[in-house]
């Protein structure tokens, strides 16, 4: 039987329509969900990502406040910007676009975001709460993956899940989210040995490595669930998806799988933050 395609593009389209309706409902209470995006410097990829997030806000009727700071911004200046957004009652979510220029202490700045406005799930407190199973906004890419898994009613309980990558925004929170869903989780990273053997035993694989087609299709166990978080200019992900429809039981395509879920989760969490103030 051909594998189930976990269609993030379609699910995010459906979700966007629901979010739009909820934004309209909130407007009756004179609340417009509002996301502040902070872009520091002129990194072209970051500019594109922020633009995509702002465009999505506009599509669903949310307000986005663009804060653009120069390449020479100091940690203190960025902290001061975050503090004023924390104190602004009309701002429901704060997104600090990663990466920031190297002179800035990015972790300190992430952690300065008010937990109630941490809709991108980047604070240590938010990560800790999420890991402990306490209500918190999850980091958007892994949280989007979990939403996709739930949408397709895949049961991960007891599965051998292997997450390849351990970044603070993706691999680590992904592993904790799968653990909280009772999967048995292994995390691989650049110092891991025999990754191919580990993956061959996996019932669920998440590719979050940042290397095109790093995970080979012949490593994937027959019937495994395959989640590819990577996206590269050559329009492939971190997993070699050639012939995957005949190997996996379910998989995320690239593009159109994980990618659309990230921004959708950001606006969903911004909506939830605004609803919490109603
Ligand atoms: P990252 O911060 O560069 O982290 C990459 C991780 O992969 C690190 O933990 C690293 O291990 C590990 N790694 C690197 N080389 C490895 C190797 N040879 N063997 C095993 N592990 C290795 O990347 P990221 O931000 O998590 O992103 C990962 C991927 O997801 C990228 O393809 C990125 O484009 C994609 N992504 C997509 C979205 C989306 O919206 N769809 C969002 C974010 C990221 P160490 O910790 O040991 O260095």
């Amino acid at each position: 039987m051909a594998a189930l395609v976990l269609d993030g593009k379609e699910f995010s389209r459906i979700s966007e329509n629901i979010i739009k309706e909820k934004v309209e409902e909130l407007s009756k209470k004179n609340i417009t969900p509002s996301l502040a995006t902070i872009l520091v410097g002129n990194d072209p990829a970051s500019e594109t990502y922020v633009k995509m997030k702002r465009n999505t806000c506009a599509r669903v009727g949310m307000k986005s406040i663009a804060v653009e700071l120069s390449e020479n911004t100091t940690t203190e200046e960025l902290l001061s910007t975050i503090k004023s957004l924390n104190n602004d009652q009309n701002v429901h979510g704060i997104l600090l676009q990663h990466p920031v220029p190297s002179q800035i202490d990015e972790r300190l700045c992430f952690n300065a975001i008010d937990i109630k406005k941490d809709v991108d799930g980047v604070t240590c407190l938010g990560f800790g709460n999420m890991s402990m199973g306490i209500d918190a906004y999850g980091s958007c890419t892994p949280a989007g993956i979990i939403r996709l898994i739930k949408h397709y009613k895949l049961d991960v309980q007891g599965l051998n899940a292997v997450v390849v990558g351990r970044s603070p925004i993706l691999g680590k929170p992904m592993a904790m989210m799968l653990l909280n869903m009772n999967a048995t989780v292994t995390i691989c990273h650049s110092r891991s040995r025999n990754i191919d053997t580990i993956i061959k035993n996996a019932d669920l694989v998440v590719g979050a490595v940042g290397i095109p087609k790093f995970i080979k299709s012949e490593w994937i166990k027959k019937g495994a669930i395959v989640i590819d978080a990577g996206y590269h200019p050559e329009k492939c992900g971190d997993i070699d998806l050639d012939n995957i429809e005949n190997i996996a039981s379910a998989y995320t395509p690239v593009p159109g799988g994980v990618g659309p879920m990230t921004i959708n989760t950001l606006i969903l969490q911004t909506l939830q933050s605004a609803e919490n103030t109603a």
Side-chain angles (χ1 to χ4, degrees), residues 6-268:
L6 307 176
D7 189 340
K9 195 173 170 191
E10 174 64 5
F11 178 40
S12 63
R13 193 187 58 75
I14 296 165
S15 169
E16 206 174 292
N17 286 336
I18 297 168
I19 292 170
K20 197 173 176 191
E21 281 169 20
K22 292 195 172 169
V23 169
E24 280 166 15
E25 272 170 37
L26 270 183
S27 73
K28 291 175 196 152
K29 296 179 185 168
N30 287 325
I31 297 170
T32 305
S34 159
L35 175 70
T37 59
I38 310 173
L39 178 64
V40 189
N42 318 303
D43 176 53
S46 293
E47 283 174 3
T48 304
Y49 291 140
V50 167
K51 200 171 159 195
M52 284 164 69
K53 289 163 188 174
R54 286 171 50 78
N55 287 346
T56 310
C57 283
R59 275 205 306 276
V60 298
M62 285 184 181
K63 190 174 167 193
S64 63
I65 301 159
V67 179
E68 290 176 6
L69 302 175
S70 84
E71 189 73 31
N72 306 321
T73 302
T74 63
T75 300
E76 289 66 34
E77 286 165 341
L78 182 51
L79 285 172
S80 154
T81 300
I82 292 169
K83 193 174 171 193
S84 67
L85 294 169
N86 282 342
N87 292 333
D88 185 339
Q89 288 189 348
N90 294 318
V91 172
H92 303 103
I94 299 171
L95 170 108
L96 171 57
Q97 184 63 43
H98 161 87
V100 295
S102 58
Q103 76 277 7
I104 293 176
D105 184 338
E106 184 180 76
R107 178 41 54 204
L108 192 66
C109 292
F110 276 151
N111 284 348
I113 297 171
D114 184 334
I115 183 82
K116 294 191 290 299
K117 301 187 181 188
D118 179 23
V119 293
D120 201 25
V122 293
T123 61
C124 285
L125 182 57
F127 176 81
N129 283 348
M130 178 277 292
S131 301
M132 297 301 283
I134 298 168
D135 198 22
Y137 300 117
S139 179
C140 290
T141 303
I145 290 170
I146 295 296
R147 289 176 61 219
L148 200 53
I149 286 174
K150 287 183 176 169
H151 176 70
Y152 282 97
K153 298 186 169 52
L154 302 179
D155 185 6
V156 304
Q157 174 160 292
L159 295 191
N160 247 345
V162 174
V163 180
V164 189
R166 59 172 170 181
S167 73
I169 59 150
L170 185 42
K172 266 184 202 160
M174 182 82 260
M176 296 313 298
M177 289 174 194
L178 289 168
L179 181 64
N180 286 344
M181 291 173 77
N182 296 320
T184 304
V185 182
T186 304
I187 307 174
C188 296
H189 47 80
S190 64
R191 316 289 167 88
S192 297
R193 293 180 193 158
N194 306 320
I195 293 182
D196 54 342
T197 310
I198 296 169
I199 293 175
K200 280 175 185 168
N201 273 320
D203 305 308
L204 186 156
V205 183
V206 180
V209 202
I211 301 172
K213 297 190 179 186
F214 174 82
I215 297 166
K216 310 297 169 217
S217 54
E218 58 265 28
W219 300 353
I220 308 287
K221 187 166 105 174
K222 182 90 179 149
I225 298 167
V226 174
I227 310 286
D228 193 345
Y231 184 65
H232 304 281
E234 48 272 55
K235 286 200 165 64
C236 71
D238 292 350
I239 303 179
D240 179 4
L241 294 175
D242 286 351
N243 196 33
I244 202 72
E245 61 277 9
N246 295 316
I247 304 170
S249 58
Y251 72 99
T252 55
V254 177
V258 172
M261 294 307 301
T262 301
I263 296 185
N264 184 264
T265 301
L266 176 71
I267 57 165
L268 176 68

